[in-house]
Amino acid sequence: MRAFAADLCRFRSTAGEEAAAADFVERALDDLGFETYGWDADPAVLADHPSFPDDVDAAAVEGRRSVAGVLELGEVDAEDPDAAREDGEDASTPTLALNGHLDVVPAEPGEWSSDPFEPAWDDAGGDEGGATLTARGAADMKSGLAACVGAAADLRAAVANGSVSLPPSGLRLAVEAVAGEEDGGYGAATAALASPYPFERDAAIVAEPTELCPVVAAEGSLMARLEIDGRSAHAATRWRGEDVLPRFEAVREAFADLERERCESVSHRLYGESPVPWPVVCGRVEAGSWASTVPATLSAEFRIGVAPGETVAEVESAFRERLASVVADDPWLRDHPPRFERFSVQFEPAEIAVDEPVVEAVRAGLVAAGLPDVEPRGATYGADSRHFVAAGVPAVLFGPGTIDEAHYPDETIAWREVERAREAIAAAAVRFATDRAAGS
């Protein structure tokens, strides 16, 4: 598992560059005896998804390849797989997806103490023997994917040697390595709308870095671009122009006020400890054309948090109303209304019940792995779990590492936590199969 994770971290699998990493995982799963499946992000399919633009650019999805490996354990192994598929699969066999994403965010080498795509183990244990792994994707979330592969392989061995007994219905595991999670979930969304399998998935564990805590609610986000027009003028006679920057600051302050109001008025039982449960961030601003010219154009891109139970459309409406109040107070903006439009992929929030069987299975898996049972919580980030939930498949986030390391320089994970995740996920899969057989 160490070698698998480290080799996977060597791939620079940023957006659109996941194919080589997908091929590596597919070969590894095939060598381990999994039945493999593969699919590419499909712009025609994604165009029907409410979170994606209607005109998904084919070039934007090129190379966004996802793969999966399937194991059929227990009594289901005794069946003729081909005959079972001809019959549309045995509906009594529970199927649990173990999901991780292949893509990573870019890394700035100057901010790292070592090459971000050359995995480094801490000196205490030497090469591939250390207590921590540092690389881009180590925490988010290639080690989590490695834990899923390890858990599935462990469980197959345990069933084969008789140390684990499954109910007569058996268990099917689908270990998925998907593309494009960071920028919208291209792989997971395609598989949700056009399943690559000849069977249905009953539940999923998405191995995001949750510090080995089950996360049952993931925040959504509105991605919106603000454009403001002013009037240019020479800096020496700036009073002849209409500067866009003070107007932008007025909008940003109004949005910050709305963020504070929403954090007080929009409550959720799983987010009470978060200092800013529904954050608003302006992550990109571009204005003006010349240092000695009054800036007459501005484009700013916002990421606006959407609480579980809300919709992107509802939150967009609230921010449009607040923008309208700023426009009403400015004569120039009243005559030259700014534009506020969605861009890129929208993230709808997702939530499942805390007593969903897959959540109970994960909690039982924690205990079986010698870890304390912990109450499920919510996360202020989005994840591919929402695509499962939207398709009617309950999905819980659970994996090693912390989100604090995600997207950071010197991204690091404690390897013991990966091993614990592997144990807990394998135990959770057994509990899931047992509960399904008991009709829980």
Side-chain angles (χ1 to χ4, degrees):
M1 187 168 65
R2 286 176 178 267
F4 176 87
D7 287 344
L8 188 54
C9 286
R10 289 188 172 92
F11 288 92
R12 298 174 182 266
S13 51
T14 52
E17 302 296 330
E18 298 99 333
D23 289 343
F24 164 79
V25 173
E26 186 173 30
R27 288 193 301 271
L29 292 171
D30 185 65
D31 290 344
L32 288 167
F34 289 72
E35 182 178 6
T36 58
Y37 296 81
W39 64 96
D40 296 314
D42 188 334
V45 170
L46 294 174
D48 293 332
H49 196 291
S51 294
F52 287 81
D54 293 336
D55 55 346
V56 178
D57 185 358
V61 301
E62 186 175 353
R64 320 300 302 259
R65 181 155 180 78
S66 302
V67 297
V70 174
L71 293 179
E72 294 183 334
L73 308 177
E75 293 298 324
V76 71
D77 281 342
E79 300 173 0
D80 180 346
D82 294 329
R85 290 194 180 91
E86 289 172 3
D87 293 338
E89 287 294 340
D90 182 0
S92 66
T93 301
T95 299
L96 179 65
L98 307 179
N99 174 280
H101 63 81
L102 292 165
D103 56 313
V104 297
V105 297
E108 296 293 338
E111 297 181 344
W112 287 63
S113 57
S114 61
D115 184 342
F117 293 101
E118 185 53 47
W121 298 91
D122 68 319
D123 294 335
D127 185 38
E128 294 197 1
T132 63
L133 171 64
T134 298
R136 174 56 86 218
D140 186 22
M141 58 175 289
K142 292 177 176 179
S143 296
L145 178 57
C148 291
V149 176
D154 288 347
L155 188 51
R156 176 180 58 185
V159 170
N161 66 29
S163 60
V164 166
S165 296
L166 292 174
S169 53
L171 173 66
R172 184 184 294 109
L173 295 174
V175 179
E176 301 179 340
V178 297
E181 187 273 348
E182 297 288 359
D183 54 346
Y186 285 87
T190 297
L193 294 173
S195 174
Y197 309 111
F199 51 79
E200 298 297 327
R201 293 163 291 181
D202 297 307
I205 297 173
V206 180
E208 289 281 358
T210 68
E211 302 176 22
L212 299 181
C213 175
V215 171
V216 297
E219 186 172 315
S221 60
L222 164 68
M223 307 297 289
R225 181 181 292 115
L226 172 72
E227 294 179 330
I228 302 175
D229 296 325
R231 183 171 61 205
S232 63
H234 195 290
T237 56
R238 64 177 179 82
W239 56 90
R240 295 181 179 275
E242 294 289 347
D243 193 338
V244 293
L245 293 176
R247 272 93 185 190
F248 167 68
E249 288 300 334
V251 173
R252 191 166 75 148
E253 182 177 349
F255 282 6
D257 289 343
L258 184 52
E259 176 197 69
R260 286 189 290 271
E261 294 169 19
R262 282 175 43 75
C263 288
E264 294 176 358
S265 64
V266 180
S267 61
H268 192 288
R269 67 191 184 284
L270 298 177
Y271 290 80
E273 296 182 2
S274 176
V276 186
W278 329 122
V280 177
V281 172
C282 181
R284 182 177 178 275
V285 182
E286 183 176 355
S289 59
W290 190 252
S292 63
T293 300
V294 173
T297 59
L298 180 140
S299 175
E301 294 177 349
F302 286 85
R303 187 269 194 195
I304 297 170
V306 180
E310 296 184 307
T311 67
V312 168
E314 290 169 348
V315 173
E316 179 182 6
S317 178
F319 279 82
R320 284 187 178 279
E321 289 181 11
R322 191 55 56 96
L323 175 60
S325 68
V326 175
V327 171
D329 291 338
D330 186 307
W332 174 265
L333 291 181
R334 288 201 301 269
D335 292 336
H336 304 81
R339 297 168 295 283
F340 188 62
E341 303 295 340
R342 298 182 185 187
F343 77 97
S344 186
V345 179
Q346 307 304 308
F347 284 61
E348 292 286 353
E351 181 178 11
I352 61 173
V354 295
D355 60 353
E356 188 71 46
V358 69
V359 180
E360 298 286 359
V362 166
R363 297 181 71 175
L366 282 168
V367 175
L371 296 164
D373 185 14
V374 289
E375 291 291 331
R377 59 180 174 84
T380 56
Y381 53 84
D384 274 345
S385 57
R386 72 188 191 282
H387 295 305
F388 285 99
V389 174
V393 179
V396 59
L397 303 180
F398 175 80
T402 171
I403 196 65
D404 292 342
E405 291 288 335
H407 304 192
Y408 270 60
D410 289 342
E411 180 181 340
T412 299
I413 194 166
W415 196 253
R416 179 57 180 150
E417 195 165 319
V418 183
E419 294 172 339
R420 289 288 184 86
R422 175 181 182 167
E423 297 170 26
I425 291 170
V430 176
R431 173 62 178 267
F432 180 75
T434 303
D435 286 352
R436 290 277 297 190
S440 172

